[in-house]
C-alpha cells in the first residue's frame, strides 16, 4: 500500500461528513409589492429567498465577495465555475488538484485564496473569515459554520452582512443519502443566487439527458461489483479506511450499470475495512478517486497487484476519477467513464 499523506488524515473528518447535502435546501423567489417593484424584480431576478438548513436567506442583489470554505470538497467552486461567476470569488479554499473537465483544475488554482492562515481543520477560522468581508459564504456541510470548530456561525456572518449557504445534504452532516439530484439542487440554487438560472437549467438538462442515454444502454445488463475508494487516504484504523459505502457514488454507479461491492459494509458513508475483508470480496472493477493525489492510477495498479484474485485484477479493470465522482456539476462524466469501463460493448 502507498504511504498515506498526512493532510488526508487531517481532512478525513471533513471528507466523511461531505458525502451528503441539505435535504431542506429548497428555493423560491419573493414577490415584490407594487407594479414598479414587481417589474424591477422580474428584470433583476432579485430578491431571491433560499430556505437552507432551517435558515432563511433573502438575497437582494448579486453577491460580489464570495468565500468558499474547504470542506474537502470542490462541489461549490466547480458549480460557480460552471455557471461562469468565478469573478465573484474573493477567497477559495477548495481544490482536488485535478478534474475530468478540461481546464477546471487550472481555473481553480488561479482563483484567489484570500491569503488567510488556515486552522487545524484546513479551513478559514472565524477572525480571518470576518476579515475577508464576504457577502456570501458557501460551506459543504454545517460543520463549516460550527462555532466549536473555530468557525464563524451563520448568525455571526449575518451580523456583518454575509449570506450563508450549506450545500444539499450537508445540514445534518450525514451524506449517506446524497444522489445526483443534489448536484442539480446546488446548481439550481446558485443559478438563482447569481441570476443565471437559464445557464443552470441548461447544464442540468444536458447532464440529465446524457445520464439517461447511458442508463438506457446498460439497462438489464449484469451489474459488476465495484470498489470505490480515495487514493492514498487514511480515515480510520485499518488499511482500507477510505472505501466508499454509501452516498452519491452509489447513484453514479447504478446509472453506469454497476453496484458497490461494499455498500453493506457500513451504515455510514465510508467503511473502515481490514485487508482480509477486502481480499475476501470479489471486486469486478475499481474506481479510484484522486483527492490532491497526482497519480491515482498508480494507486489503482498497486491495488490490483496486491489482490490478484480479484476479477478486476485479472481483467485490469479500473478507472481513476476525481471531481466528477463527487457532488458537483459533472456527475455525467463519471457515469460515462464508469459505464465505458463496465460495459464497453454497450456504451
Amino acid at each position: 500500500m502507498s504511504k498515506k499523506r498526512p493532510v488526508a488524515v487531517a481532512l478525513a473528518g471533513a471528507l466523511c461528513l461531505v458525502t451528503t447535502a441539505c435535504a431542506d435546501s429548497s428555493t423560491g423567489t419573493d414577490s415584490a409589492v407594487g407594479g414598479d417593484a414587481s417589474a424591477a424584480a422580474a428584470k433583476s431576478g432579485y430578491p431571491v429567498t433560499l430556505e437552507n438548513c432551517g435558515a432563511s436567506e433573502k438575497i437582494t442583489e448579486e453577491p460580489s465577495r464570495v468565500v468558499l470554505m474547504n470542506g474537502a470538497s470542490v462541489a461549490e467552486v466547480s458549480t460557480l465555475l460552471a455557471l461562469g461567476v468565478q469573478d465573484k470569488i474573493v477567497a477559495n479554499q477548495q481544490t482536488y488538484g485535478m478534474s475530468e473537465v478540461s481546464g477546471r483544475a487550472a481555473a481553480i488554482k488561479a482563483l484567489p485564496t484570500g491569503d488567510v492562515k488556515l486552522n487545524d481543520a484546513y479551513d478559514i477560522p472565524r477572525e480571518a473569515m470576518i476579515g475577508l468581508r464576504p457577502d456570501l459564504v458557501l460551506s459543504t456541510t454545517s460543520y463549516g459554520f460550527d462555532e466549536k470548530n473555530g468557525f464563524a456561525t451563520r448568525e455571526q456572518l449575518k451580523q456583518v452582512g454575509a449570506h450563508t449557504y450549506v450545500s444539499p445534504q450537508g445540514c445534518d452532516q450525514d451524506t449517506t443519502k446524497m444522489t445526483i439530484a443534489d448536484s442539480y439542487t446546488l446548481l439550481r440554487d446558485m443559478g438563482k443566487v447569481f441570476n443565471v438560472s437559464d445557464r443552470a437549467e441548461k447544464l442540468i438538462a444536458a447532464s440529465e439527458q446524457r445520464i439517461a442515454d447511458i442508463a438506457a444502454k446498460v439497462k438489464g445488463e449484469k451489474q459488476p461489483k465495484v470498489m470505490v475508494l480515495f487514493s492514498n487516504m487514511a480515515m480510520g484504523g485499518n488499511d482500507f479506511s477510505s472505501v466508499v459505502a454509501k452516498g452519491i457514488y452509489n447513484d453514479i454507479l447504478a446509472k453506469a450499470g454497476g453496484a458497490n461491492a461494499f455498500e453493506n459494509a457500513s451504515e455510514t458513508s465510508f467503511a473502515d475495512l481490514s485487508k482480509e475483508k477486502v481480499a475476501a470480496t470479489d471486486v469486478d472493477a475499481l474506481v479510484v478517486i484522486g483527492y490532491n493525489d497526482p497519480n491515482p492510477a498508480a494507486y489503482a495498479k498497486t491495488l490490483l497487484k496486491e489482490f490478484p484474485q480479484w476479477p478486476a485484477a485479472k481483467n485490469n479493470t479500473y478507472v481513476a476519477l476525481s471531481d466528477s465522482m463527487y457532488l458537483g456539476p459533472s456527475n455525467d462524466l463519471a457515469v460515462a467513464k464508469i459505464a465505458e469501463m463496465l460495459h464497453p460493448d454497450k456504451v
Side-chain angles (χ1 to χ4, degrees):
M1 295 293 294
S2 301
K3 185 177 180 181
K4 305 293 190 292
R5 292 171 293 115
V7 68
V9 179
L11 287 174
L15 189 58
C16 286
L17 299 175
V18 148
T19 324
T20 316
C22 244
D24 62 345
S25 177
S26 57
T27 64
T29 303
D30 286 352
S31 297
V33 179
D36 292 343
S38 296
K43 184 177 180 180
S44 71
Y46 299 100
V48 168
T49 299
L50 303 182
E51 298 299 331
N52 182 248
C53 298
S56 183
E57 295 286 341
K58 185 176 181 179
I59 300 171
T60 58
E61 61 183 359
E62 183 180 7
S64 62
R65 295 189 60 82
V66 184
V67 175
L68 296 97
M69 300 190 74
N70 181 350
S73 171
V74 285
E76 294 74 26
V77 69
S78 297
T79 295
L80 297 195
L81 283 169
L83 292 173
V85 295
Q86 62 269 25
D87 60 320
K88 310 302 180 183
I89 299 171
V90 296
N92 169 59
Q93 292 302 326
Q94 299 186 347
T95 174
Y96 266 18
M98 60 192 302
S99 173
E100 276 73 75
V101 178
S102 178
R104 179 181 288 169
I108 291 174
K109 188 176 182 180
L111 292 171
T113 64
D115 295 323
V116 298
K117 182 179 180 181
L118 304 182
N119 60 15
D120 291 342
Y122 289 84
D123 223 325
I124 305 172
R126 182 189 304 106
E127 294 78 10
M129 177 65 77
I130 300 300
L132 289 167
R133 298 181 294 108
D135 56 11
L136 175 64
V137 180
L138 305 183
S139 179
T140 305
T141 73
S142 57
Y143 179 92
F145 297 123
D146 195 326
E147 192 167 25
K148 72 174 183 290
N149 300 324
F151 301 127
T153 66
R154 300 187 78 172
E155 183 59 34
Q156 288 167 345
L157 287 164
K158 183 178 181 180
Q159 290 172 3
V160 296
H163 295 287
T164 50
Y165 179 87
V166 178
S167 289
Q169 302 301 337
C171 297
D172 57 5
Q173 302 182 28
D174 173 15
T175 57
T176 58
K177 298 180 179 65
M178 184 183 282
T179 67
I180 295 170
D182 293 308
S183 293
Y184 299 151
T185 296
L186 178 57
L187 266 169
R188 209 164 257 131
D189 283 357
M190 290 302 102
K192 292 180 179 181
V193 167
F194 290 94
N195 197 23
V196 287
S197 288
D198 287 351
R199 172 69 172 162
E201 293 304 327
K202 287 179 182 177
L203 291 169
I204 292 167
S207 175
E208 287 180 326
Q209 186 61 58
R210 186 178 189 188
I211 291 174
D213 289 346
I214 293 169
K217 291 177 181 178
V218 300
K219 185 177 181 180
E221 296 296 310
K222 181 181 178 182
Q223 295 185 324
K225 297 294 185 180
V226 184
M227 180 182 191
V228 182
L229 78 167
F230 284 76
S231 62
N232 291 310
M233 182 169 284
M235 298 185 193
N238 285 297
D239 288 337
F240 296 92
S241 56
S242 66
V243 176
V244 170
K246 292 176 172 61
I248 193 170
Y249 317 95
N250 291 359
D251 191 20
I252 291 171
L253 288 177
K255 299 292 195 302
N260 190 337
F262 296 95
E263 182 175 1
N264 297 320
S266 174
E267 291 301 314
T268 60
S269 298
F270 291 89
D272 189 5
L273 304 175
S274 66
K275 182 176 179 179
E276 290 73 22
K277 170 67 175 177
V278 171
T281 304
D282 282 335
V283 174
D284 297 314
L286 194 61
V287 174
V288 172
I289 306 171
Y291 175 74
N292 286 317
D293 182 349
N295 198 349
Y299 180 79
K301 292 174 183 177
T302 298
L303 279 185
L304 296 179
K305 289 180 180 178
E306 189 171 359
F307 300 100
Q309 73 277 16
W310 283 350
K314 296 174 182 176
N315 299 314
N316 196 36
T317 308
Y318 76 91
V319 65
L321 299 173
S322 56
D323 57 347
S324 66
M325 197 64 181
Y326 189 73
L327 180 71
S330 308
N331 297 149
D332 58 308
L333 297 181
V335 172
K337 288 180 179 292
I338 294 171
E340 289 167 4
M341 171 182 68
L342 300 179
H343 305 286
D345 56 333
K346 295 293 181 179
V347 180

